[in-house]
Amino acid sequence: MKGFQVKRLDKNDVSVLYPAGFLDAHTVPQFESALSELVENGRYKIVVNFKDLDYISSAGLGVFMGFIEEVRNNGGDIKLCNLSDRVYKVFDLLGFPALFEIYNQEAEALEKF
Amino acid sequence: MTKKLTRHFLLIAILGVMSVSFLFDWGGLKNLGLFNLLGYVHEGLSVLVIWLVYLYLKSLHLFNNKNVQYNLKLIVINLISVYVLVFALKLIFQPQFVTIGFPPQTNDLKTIIYSNLVSLIGLFSMVGFILALRNLIFYKPKKNTRIYFYSSLFFLILTAILTSVLKAPLDLSFSGNGIYNNGTFVLTLIFLFLLSLRNSWITYLSRKEKLYYTFIAILILWGVSYIFDYAYELPVAYHSLAQAVFINGSWFFLFFYTLTSLIYLMLQLPTARIFERKMQEVSSLQNLTRAISVEMDTNKLTNLITNMIINVTGSHVSWIELLNPHENRLQVLATKNLLLQDVSKLKNGALKQLSTQILNDKKTLVLNELTTAQKNEYFQGFRSKINSLVITPIIGAQNQFLGLLYAGKSSVLGFDPDDVNLLEAFANQVAIALENADLLQKSFERERLEKELQIAREVQMRLLPQTLPQLKAYQLTTETITAYEVGGDYFDFIPRTDANQLGIVIGDVSGKGTSAAFYMAEVKGIIQSIARQNHSPAEILGYTNKVLATSLEKKSFITLTFAILDSQRHQLKFARAGHCPLVHFKAKNGQIIYHQPAGIAVGLDRGQIFKDSLQEHLIDIDLGDVLVFYTDGLSEAMNGKLDEYTEVRLADILKQFADQPVEIIKKRLIEDVFKFVGDHHLHDDLTLILLKRIE
């Protein structure tokens, strides 16, 4: 079974999500609920740290699109960091670098808020 | 037909024998000598008449109805008719008997006629009583009922014969000859008494009927106790001792039975209400179980249940609140006798505190004496008067909380433990019903989804081109392999206004199922409508994005590659909206080039970013070059170790077989993909377009 977990750490007014394992069509609802929890609590400054993510399918990317508009309208953003080559390739293929800020290190992402 | 004939014959026989018997009386023959032989003949005829009357009445439909009320009515009519008839006969014939010895005597013709008529009436009436009582006794027959019934009839007839032979009165004296006929008479009475205890029909009467029948039974008992003295004693005894005994015996039977019935009725009066309640409970639970097995509509079921609660427990108001699992909120349903204002108060959570308490305890709450404070707290401003309230939780098979069942009465102390038990039983039934309905709903849902997927799959298949365009100097082949779930792969070929050009499009709609198939149809429509004109790939993709971005769901996107092949200039101009790279095998040096111009997927941005990011590439195609368009079903095909197939493996196959015709390359490539995934089935659709320049 391809496992997936997502942890959350709040660093001041920025929340960092740590998805781990496989993010595909089957596990994406878990990640989606983690994001929607943040949005519901009005925490619009979000960093997603992919250091523990082994795999993301193209279906897993849609979830970001579901929230980005609302987040940005509320003065926040979703910034991505620590993408492995394999994960970055999927983002890159779909053109996400044109839509999202992507950083190598979490600290850089945090700084940009 | 024969039955009818038999009946007519019986009636004629009765009248015939009675006439002969009358002649005996009239001529005084029965008291003449010859050892009183003619008297015996006369009594024999009398017994025969009893038997014939019994057979005749038994053959009538009148006495073949087991219905209790019907038979009780027969008895009453029978009794009243006898009084009326005998009264009339007494007026007409003015009978006079000499009552010094036994049996009574007379020489008066009018009295003789009167006696004969009264005897006949008596026989019909008494046999009628016996048959009606028989129907009541056999309402719930037990093992010995039939034996008792026929034994008592047998001994009664035997007593009648013995009495007429011995001419000893039935005074229960047991002296002299009287020992025989009195002995059999006692046996008759014992059996009749045993039969009189068979009044089980009374148990199942409703409370009202029991009360009503008690008064009727008193009147009948009074009527019965006088009828023998009033109508039969003298005339029948004069006419025939045998018939007198029979009438006397059956009168005892009628009297006993009326008496025991009255006693039974009176004994059951105090428990009638409880018994009726229990009967109602049993039948309502039965009805409910039956209803649950056929009725799957939750609204109808809950309505049925609140109706039953009102009827069976005598509650004034009742309603059900069901937990809505999606909103985690109680929903008010099936309110009975509650005014709309009160219902809206309930919907606003008037009883929230109580329901939370029960939700935690999972136990029934009985509030039999609501204090003023409680009423003010829970029922502030309620129009319905509620002074006692029972709330029962509805608990499912997995001990999960499904809802609450409420019953309220306007009186204080309205609910006894029986009511509470019953309400809990109802709550259990509701739980079963809800779970049944839920299971059914789920299986419907699954079936519907499967059907939907099948339709989506069919739609998707019909959207793909069914024939390949013929190209000069190029070989073209395609492949679509569908996974178990419906994917959103799409490809198409669009002829251009310039006959040397061919539009090639490949794409993948994110998400699966029906929505993917619909988006695909939309993409096809948009592209078909503009791709024929002289637009560039970037313009076509930009327009597609503009149209689709507004209608696509936020989470959905579509990757697309649009290419225009110019088969005269041997060039391919293409743009890529987030789709997999174009894999290019160069025959000249055996190298693989991955063409991945910038571009974001359709639907991710509404306008400017999409346009700005989109780049167009122009590729020269040399002789022997192979171009491969594919979807991520190929590059992301996964094996058991969760490795992906990737473009690298695709490139290896291309390098090995690029000199072969495209059909062979395709065959080898697909073989290799399936070898790679092994037992790990494809989880997404896989689409391939192979293009090779051969001239």
Side-chain angles (χ1 to χ4, degrees), chain A residues 2 22 25-26 32 55-59 61-63 65-66 69 86 89-90 92-96 98-99, chain B residues 485 554-555 557 559 576 578-581 596 599-601 604-606 609 613 632 636 638 642-644 647:
Chain A
K2 300 170 258 183
F22 270 74
H26 299 286
E32 195 170 0
Y55 170 83
I56 187 164
S57 78
S58 47
L61 296 185
V63 68
M65 300 316 300
E69 202 174 54
R86 190 179 182 185
K89 213 183 95 186
V90 179
D92 183 44
L93 195 62
L94 287 162
F96 267 56
L99 302 164
Chain B
E485 292 169 276
K554 264 196 264 175
K555 276 182 286 179
F557 54 85
T559 66
R576 185 196 68 96
H579 197 75
C580 303
Q596 191 179 331
I600 64 175
L604 296 186
D605 177 76
R606 299 267 159 99
I609 301 180
S613 69
D632 59 5
E636 292 185 4
M638 222 175 244
L642 306 179
D643 297 323
E644 287 180 339
E647 302 75 29

Side-chain angles (χ1 to χ4, degrees), chain B residues 183-244:
Chain B
T184 53
F185 193 54
V186 166
L187 280 176
T188 312
L189 292 184
I190 289 172
F191 282 116
L192 288 178
F193 182 72
L194 287 173
L195 283 175
S196 304
L197 298 178
R198 304 285 159 99
N199 347 47
S200 49
W201 54 273
I202 292 170
T203 314
Y204 299 96
L205 294 175
S206 70
R207 192 168 64 97
K208 254 189 200 159
E209 285 173 320
K210 278 177 185 166
L211 200 66
Y212 177 64
Y213 288 166
T214 306
F215 287 110
I216 303 272
I218 293 170
L219 290 177
I220 294 180
L221 190 66
W222 182 75
V224 167
S225 54
Y226 278 99
I227 200 163
F228 188 77
D229 289 351
Y230 178 75
Y232 305 128
E233 194 183 14
L234 295 174
V236 185
Y238 160 73
H239 170 67
S240 156
L241 275 179
Q243 287 179 0

Side-chain angles (χ1 to χ4, degrees), chain A residues 11-58:
Chain A
K11 301 185 174 176
N12 299 323
D13 57 343
V14 183
S15 292
V16 186
L17 291 180
Y18 298 91
F22 270 74
L23 183 56
D24 59 17
H26 299 286
T27 58
V28 85
Q30 275 184 64
F31 189 55
E32 195 170 0
S33 63
L35 272 171
S36 71
E37 195 187 308
L38 289 179
V39 170
E40 272 166 30
N41 293 332
R43 299 192 64 91
Y44 296 112
K45 294 181 177 176
I46 301 164
V47 169
V48 184
N49 186 332
F50 289 100
K51 69 183 168 73
D52 296 320
L53 193 76
D54 297 318
Y55 170 83
I56 187 164
S57 78
S58 47

Side-chain angles (χ1 to χ4, degrees), chain B residues 6-7 9-11 13-15 17-18 42-60 119-120 122-124 126-128 130-131 134 149-158 160-161 240 242-243 246-247 250:
Chain B
T6 318
R7 276 214 296 275
F9 173 75
L10 278 171
L11 201 58
I14 291 165
L15 293 175
V17 177
M18 275 311 273
H42 177 257
E43 291 296 0
L45 288 175
S46 299
V47 173
L48 181 64
V49 171
I50 299 173
W51 185 242
L52 289 174
V53 169
Y54 179 75
L55 288 180
Y56 175 69
L57 288 185
K58 215 182 153 190
S59 70
L60 294 182
S119 298
L120 194 61
L123 288 182
F124 272 92
M126 282 306 171
V127 171
I130 290 174
L131 289 172
R134 183 197 60 167
F149 185 74
Y150 287 107
S151 303
S152 58
L153 276 189
F154 170 77
F155 282 113
L156 184 58
I157 300 286
L158 189 63
I161 295 168
S240 156
Q243 287 179 0
F246 174 77
I247 289 174
S250 36

